[in-house]
Amino acid sequence: KPTLGLGFPEVAPLGPVVTTSSTPAAHAVSPDSGEHWSAEGAWQVAEGIHRIPLPLPMDGLRAVNVYAIETDDGLTLIDGGWSIQVARDLLERCLRDIGYGFGDIRRFLVTHIHRDHYTLATVLGHEYDAEVALGLGEKPGLDLLNDALRGQTELVGNPFLDVLRTAGAHEVAEAWAAGAPDLPDPAWWQYPHTWLTGDQQVEVGARTLDAVHTPGHTPGHFVFADQAAGLLFAGDHVLPTITPSIGFTVPPVPDPLGDFMASLTKVRSLPDLQVLPAHGPVAPSTHARVDELIAHHEERLQQSLAALAAGPLTGHAVAHHLPWTRHEKAYDELDLFAQGMASMETKAHLDLLVAQGR
């Protein structure tokens, strides 16, 4: 629906979606399960690590992967899922299948603020006294959400309208504004127990994870690298079949695509690792996928620059010149929600062109 209320977006499969194969996400099989990547279960991806896909109440994405890491003291979960009853019930059932319950969770390491990653983590974390850790760059977003829930800000209806207007998408903004506010449960947006600041190492039982700050999709996004095991818990930063949305976050940042490209380069400098993504199947190579994502955005930058050959345009106007989705649809073929995301993502490409002096 066009109005997101305070929910914050998830991943948007816009842009001509880059894939590592000819198989689209809708049909992608994960090697750990031998089934579609969203199939119910606690799938072992490595010794002591299980991937648990949890359902999402949306059409664009079918599931979010939560990863349970076993230690002698209990479980650490990478992300938590969306706080809806069906996801909570499934997580409880899958943990029970591997011999655990919610009371065994000691910590959530959350990759970023979006509700399909954060909300069930913070609800369960506060309910069962498990530590919740989140990147400090997400604090302005959490502040906005909590102020809005307390009625202390005018952004209760839809915090993305100003972002749309700066992209020149005024008609889209008005259409989004016409939707009814969607106020979530305040328990979804409780503050974490721990803020992650800068790159650091996190001990998880006998494992040492490198917590790597990777802003772009959101300002406080983190990935977690288990270099000894050759694994990257990639959140929404490196996805195997789709590209994460860029420029669609509030409060806005000056150059989100520049941040994202720098973060991709940062992850590329790590050893080549297996990708454990938040959405999609387990994939064999961070290096290969990062190279594809960088090439994808370089192509989009060139296309955006070409659209400006006749003179200045807004992000909204340039978006009309670009193809969208895997099927290379025209802008006018997109639904209202996708049009808004396309306008803001195109603005992010123009902002990077400006930053590069191009």
Side-chain angles (χ1 to χ4, degrees):
K1 60 183 179 178
T3 177
L4 297 182
L6 298 174
F8 276 75
E10 286 66 52
V11 176
L14 289 173
V17 178
V18 189
T19 64
T20 50
S21 71
S22 59
T23 304
H27 303 291
V29 171
S30 192
D32 54 340
S33 65
E35 299 187 38
H36 188 274
W37 70 271
S38 66
E40 177 181 326
W43 307 106
Q44 183 171 303
V45 297
E47 185 67 31
I49 300 176
H50 290 82
R51 181 180 63 87
I52 303 174
L54 298 180
L56 300 177
M58 55 192 300
D59 294 332
L61 292 171
R62 297 179 62 173
V64 59
N65 292 319
V66 170
Y67 295 90
I69 304 174
E70 298 178 73
T71 75
D72 290 340
D73 186 43
L75 297 176
T76 290
L77 267 58
I78 308 293
D79 287 334
W82 191 321
S83 187
I84 53 176
Q85 192 63 47
V86 64
R88 178 177 175 134
D89 291 346
L90 180 56
L91 178 60
E92 185 174 34
R93 187 161 64 249
C94 289
L95 291 181
R96 187 168 58 245
D97 287 344
I98 57 174
Y100 296 96
F102 288 155
D104 296 306
I105 300 172
R106 300 290 177 259
R107 177 166 52 184
F108 288 92
L109 296 174
V110 183
T111 59
H112 63 294
I113 194 178
H114 288 166
R115 57 188 171 184
D116 54 331
H117 301 256
Y118 185 68
T119 56
L120 188 53
T122 193
V123 168
L124 291 176
H126 286 83
E127 186 176 335
Y128 286 90
D129 198 27
E131 178 190 5
V132 178
L134 181 70
L136 182 60
E138 309 293 41
K139 187 175 185 298
L142 269 181
D143 288 341
L144 182 149
L145 285 161
N146 280 278
D147 287 348
L149 289 169
R150 290 190 294 263
Q152 296 174 2
T153 174
E154 297 178 358
L155 295 180
V156 170
N158 193 317
F160 297 97
L161 301 183
D162 285 344
V163 185
L164 281 169
R165 293 179 182 119
T166 63
H170 297 282
E171 292 184 2
V172 176
E174 293 309 309
W176 280 28
D182 179 17
L183 297 180
D185 185 338
W188 289 15
W189 302 111
Q190 298 172 89
Y191 286 90
H193 303 94
T194 302
W195 292 111
L196 300 173
T197 57
D199 297 352
Q200 59 187 278
Q201 291 189 326
V202 179
E203 302 301 322
V204 179
R207 301 175 187 272
T208 297
L209 302 186
D210 293 308
V212 183
H213 184 208
T214 51
H217 180 56
T218 68
H221 195 289
F222 268 79
V223 300
F224 301 95
D226 184 345
Q227 295 196 42
L231 306 172
L232 181 73
F233 300 95
D236 282 358
H237 182 59
V238 180
L239 297 169
T241 59
I242 58 176
T243 60
S245 60
I246 303 296
F248 191 32
T249 186
V250 293
V253 296
D255 185 14
L257 182 58
D259 294 341
F260 180 63
M261 298 288 272
S263 295
L264 287 174
T265 301
K266 190 177 185 180
V267 169
R268 184 62 168 79
S269 71
L270 298 173
D272 197 12
L273 304 171
Q274 189 175 31
V275 183
L276 304 185
H279 307 282
V282 172
S285 170
T286 53
H287 286 184
R289 186 54 179 162
V290 166
D291 289 347
E292 290 178 335
L293 290 168
I294 290 174
H296 162 72
H297 283 290
E298 289 293 350
E299 180 181 4
R300 299 295 280 179
L301 287 167
Q302 291 294 340
Q303 292 172 333
S304 299
L305 194 62
L308 296 170
L313 296 171
T314 66
H316 177 64
V318 171
H320 284 75
H321 291 259
L322 305 178
W324 295 98
T325 80
R326 175 188 308 278
H327 305 292
E328 299 198 344
K329 293 182 178 180
Y331 179 90
D332 289 336
E333 295 180 78
L334 302 176
D335 64 36
L336 182 63
F337 176 63
Q339 286 180 347
M341 294 193 70
S343 297
M344 287 186 278
E345 181 154 318
T346 304
K347 179 184 180 295
H349 284 77
L350 301 185
D351 286 338
L352 180 54
L353 289 171
V354 171
Q356 293 175 339
R358 296 167 67 185

